[in-house]
Amino acid sequence: MYASDLIPPQPAPPPPKKGLTWARVIGVTLLLVWAALFANLIYMVIAGWSEEKVARYGDRYLSGVWVTLSLVGISILAGAVLSVPVAFARMSRNPFVSTLAYLYVYVFRSTPLLAQLFLIYYGVGSFRDEIDAIGLWWFFRDAWNCAFLSFMLNTAAYQAEILRGAIESVPKSQREAADSLGISRRVAFVKIIMPQALIVALRPYGNEVILMIKGSAIVAIVTVYDLMGVTKYAYSKTFDFQAYLWAAIFYLIIVEVIRNILAKLDNRLTRHLKR
Amino acid sequence: MSEILSAFGHVIDPLCGRFGFFTLFGSGLLSCGDAGWMDEIAFGVWVTASLAVATLPIGLVLGFLIALAKRAEDRYLQLSVNLYTTIFRALPELLTIFIVYYGLQIAIQSLISLLGFDETININAFAAGMAALAVVFSAYCSEVLQSAFQAIPQGQYEAGEALGLGRRKTLILIVLPQLVRIALPGLGNLWMVLLKDTALVSIVGLPDIMRQAGIAARITKEPFLFYGIACLIYLLLSLLSSGVLSRTDKWARKAEER
């Protein structure tokens, strides 16, 4: 038996029409809430706009952004330098050295940055005489330096873990292959291990930069005029809630710009891994 | 009831209880009672711990709902929750706390005056801190849960359907238990971050560890001692939580062992 008539080809049936789903209702409601909130904020900014305030605080805000960026940038670079020996100590076979490095990392990662900053900024006052004796008081007298020191120590602990994780993520066979090719340990590390490790480390490094930018807001409490510091100053002078809104906008822009640059960089550097 | 609880707490308090460390070994500034500061700091520990513990469930539930919304097919819903996570992951926690603390105050104040009442409202620092930290926690939590959702194969949903379970039952009976196991390390990290972020609420006046240590430091002029103690207490709290977390992780992974 054969089929005498073939059913002619037909287009696929139209997708079933979805009625009003709960997801749509909730989504639209939430969007309306957001829209109302943003409209309110824009209204607040327009209604509260005053040339005088912009003239008085605009430049301060820009200098605050600069202080935040430079403080974080310098701390991250110094922390990166410090993190290298810590990471290697952590991977060391010597149990004493590796325990010491682990303790450093553990302590700095599990106490709040605020506590570390206070410990350095207020705490060194307890050792005024000793610090005077070694002639370092000029360093600790400035809140910026204290913030820099605590941020550097903190981020070095995080970066050491990132670096260690990245180096250990490179398969052992890579090192063995380099050995069998007669490549020296040092060259193998610089040219084979590190390039692969740094690709793994890129994303966590980016997260660390963003975390530091957000974390750096606490220096406002120890009288550094970073973005948060000028915001607090402007609010204490004007009692205008806009001060905080502008800080939020600036932080949002900074973080989003950095995030996008890092994503682009990541995309570019891993293009050989994509097919 | 609360009296019994506080009496019980007074006995087992590890810092200043009947057998507390500083009751037995503390002396001078570091004793419990009027001469020393440890009872104030012990109260701060209690405040910090209860703030973190109170924030956790709110943040988890909110984060779970946001993760669900991110997986929904509806574009509007996705857009609205993506806005939320983008904003609150980009703002410094301190700024979020300030915005919630002052912003809520202004919002409630204007609402009240709109209704025709004339009263000054002061928001509780604990509530404001809890709200701000829960918002930040939920934004990060939703990311962790979303990536955990992605780790669960589509076949699990299909199997649920094949067994005749509805979508809700599939979610609760099949997906959720696996989700917990996958997301637990990430959530553990977030708990550690939350514990440290509670220190920021001291800035708006909550008497937590940092604030109590700060008061003690200012009055006794021994800042290094008291901030050092604060750091040590945070260290102990995180040691304690990492112990609990690794236990929980082991418990959650029991199903994987054969």
Side-chain angles (χ1 to χ4, degrees):
Chain A
M1 238 180 82
Y2 300 101
S4 50
D5 293 335
L6 288 178
I7 301 171
Q10 288 174 358
K17 266 217 165 137
K18 280 179 200 160
L20 198 58
T21 56
W22 271 112
R24 172 60 53 97
V25 173
I26 299 170
V28 170
T29 319
L30 286 180
L31 270 188
L32 285 178
V33 171
W34 275 120
L37 209 61
F38 282 127
N40 196 4
L41 294 187
I42 291 170
Y43 170 76
M44 242 174 115
V45 169
I46 291 174
W49 186 268
S50 81
E51 290 292 330
E52 188 217 11
K53 275 183 197 165
V54 174
R56 187 176 296 166
Y57 299 110
D59 285 347
R60 280 177 185 271
Y61 266 84
L62 290 182
S63 82
V65 170
W66 170 244
V67 170
T68 293
L69 288 180
S70 58
L71 176 62
V72 170
I74 295 174
S75 315
I76 292 233
L77 286 181
V81 173
L82 184 61
S83 75
V84 175
V86 176
F88 280 100
R90 183 98 162 70
M91 291 186 289
S92 151
R93 289 219 190 89
N94 184 335
F96 178 71
V97 174
S98 70
T99 310
L100 212 63
Y102 180 67
L103 270 181
Y104 170 78
V105 169
Y106 195 88
V107 167
F108 276 92
R109 291 208 316 167
S110 57
T111 51
L113 185 54
L114 186 69
Q116 294 162 21
L117 178 65
F118 279 6
L119 191 65
I120 290 178
Y121 181 69
Y122 295 115
V124 288
S126 303
F127 305 106
R128 173 86 199 255
D129 296 336
E130 290 88 335
I131 290 168
D132 256 340
I134 51 172
L136 274 179
W137 184 247
W138 60 269
F139 182 85
F140 290 102
R141 210 178 42 192
D142 189 0
W144 195 96
N145 291 337
C146 291
F148 161 70
L149 186 63
S150 64
F151 285 5
M152 179 188 77
L153 292 174
N154 183 276
T155 189
Y158 281 93
Q159 289 188 39
E161 279 303 274
I162 294 172
L163 195 61
R164 183 187 66 91
I167 290 175
E168 286 182 350
S169 79
V170 178
K172 214 176 160 194
S173 54
Q174 298 282 332
R175 194 161 304 176
E176 289 164 359
D179 276 346
S180 67
L181 288 173
I183 299 172
S184 74
R185 273 284 157 97
R186 181 186 306 251
V187 173
F189 184 76
V190 174
K191 296 208 158 176
I192 296 173
I193 312 280
M194 271 325 258
Q196 300 181 62
L198 286 181
I199 283 179
V200 176
L202 195 65
R203 239 162 229 283
Y205 269 134
N207 287 341
E208 174 62 14
V209 172
I210 290 174
L211 282 183
M212 279 310 283
I213 287 193
K214 291 167 47 175
S216 73
I218 59 168
V219 293
I221 301 158
V222 295
T223 69
V224 175
Y225 283 100
D226 73 326
L227 183 48
M228 194 70 198
V230 294
T231 305
K232 277 185 73 179
Y233 174 80
Y235 185 71
S236 68
K237 291 281 173 190
T238 60
F239 288 107
D240 188 346
F241 191 63
Q242 263 189 69
Y244 286 114
L245 295 185
W246 282 109
I249 291 169
F250 276 117
Y251 274 113
L252 211 59
I253 291 173
I254 294 173
V255 169
E256 281 304 300
V257 166
I258 290 178
R259 212 164 59 96
N260 280 308
I261 290 175
L262 285 167
K264 286 250 159 62
L265 198 67
D266 192 54
N267 227 349
R268 171 96 187 144
L269 288 176
T270 57
R271 67 193 188 283
H272 62 287
L273 296 175
K274 291 185 187 113
R275 308 218 165 197
Chain B
M1 186 65 201
S2 67
E3 277 171 22
I4 299 172
L5 264 182
S6 80
F8 183 63
H10 189 72
V11 173
I12 62 158
D13 179 356
L15 290 176
C16 274
R18 182 72 47 79
F19 305 105
F21 183 79
F22 289 98
T23 321
L24 298 178
F25 303 107
S27 64
L29 288 177
L30 295 186
S31 63
C32 304
D34 290 340
W37 286 90
M38 284 325 290
D39 48 336
E40 278 82 2
I41 290 181
F43 177 69
V45 175
W46 201 81
V47 170
T48 292
S50 48
L51 178 61
V53 170
T55 306
L56 184 69
I58 304 174
L60 277 178
V61 170
L62 210 56
F64 182 66
L65 292 179
I66 293 169
L68 278 186
K70 278 186 175 172
R71 291 175 49 77
E73 281 159 17
D74 195 77
R75 285 219 316 277
Y76 297 106
L77 191 55
Q78 275 186 8
L79 179 65
S80 53
V81 290
N82 281 339
L83 264 176
Y84 177 90
T85 48
T86 308
I87 291 178
F88 287 108
R89 291 198 316 154
L91 294 188
E93 290 80 4
L94 186 61
L95 185 62
T96 312
I97 290 172
F98 277 136
I99 287 181
V100 169
Y101 188 66
Y102 294 117
L104 266 188
Q105 208 139 317
I106 293 172
I108 292 178
Q109 196 80 62
S110 55
L111 200 69
I112 283 178
S113 60
L114 209 69
L115 292 175
F117 293 102
D118 190 35
E119 274 177 87
T120 328
I121 296 291
N122 274 319
I123 289 196
N124 185 337
F126 192 91
M130 205 165 88
L133 291 178
V135 163
V136 176
F137 185 90
S138 67
Y140 281 97
C141 173
S142 72
E143 299 283 310
V144 169
L145 289 179
Q146 201 202 3
S147 58
F149 263 123
Q150 278 165 1
I152 293 174
Q154 194 61 34
Q156 300 285 334
Y157 296 91
E158 287 161 6
E161 215 162 292
L163 288 173
L165 300 174
R167 281 179 60 177
R168 183 168 303 170
K169 276 206 156 170
T170 310
L171 183 69
I172 293 173
L173 292 177
I174 297 180
V175 177
L176 206 57
Q178 303 183 56
L179 195 72
V180 170
R181 191 194 311 158
I182 299 170
L184 206 58
L187 294 178
N189 283 342
L190 288 184
W191 162 256
M192 297 292 199
V193 173
L194 174 66
L195 200 61
K196 289 188 283 172
D197 279 349
T198 54
L200 296 173
V201 187
S202 65
I203 307 299
V204 291
L206 186 77
D208 73 335
I209 299 174
M210 278 313 285
R211 189 172 175 78
Q212 301 290 70
I215 294 171
R218 212 169 321 134
I219 293 179
T220 60
K221 301 222 176 354
E222 288 279 2
F224 193 81
L225 177 68
F226 282 105
Y227 285 123
I229 287 177
C231 280
L232 270 182
I233 292 175
Y234 279 110
L235 204 63
L236 284 179
L237 285 179
S238 85
L239 264 176
L240 192 73
S241 1
S242 65
V244 172
L245 279 170
S246 70
R247 279 272 168 93
T248 320
D249 203 43
K250 211 173 260 173
W251 168 79
R253 290 198 178 281
K254 250 197 313 207
E256 283 178 359
E257 287 164 9
R258 301 260 154 138

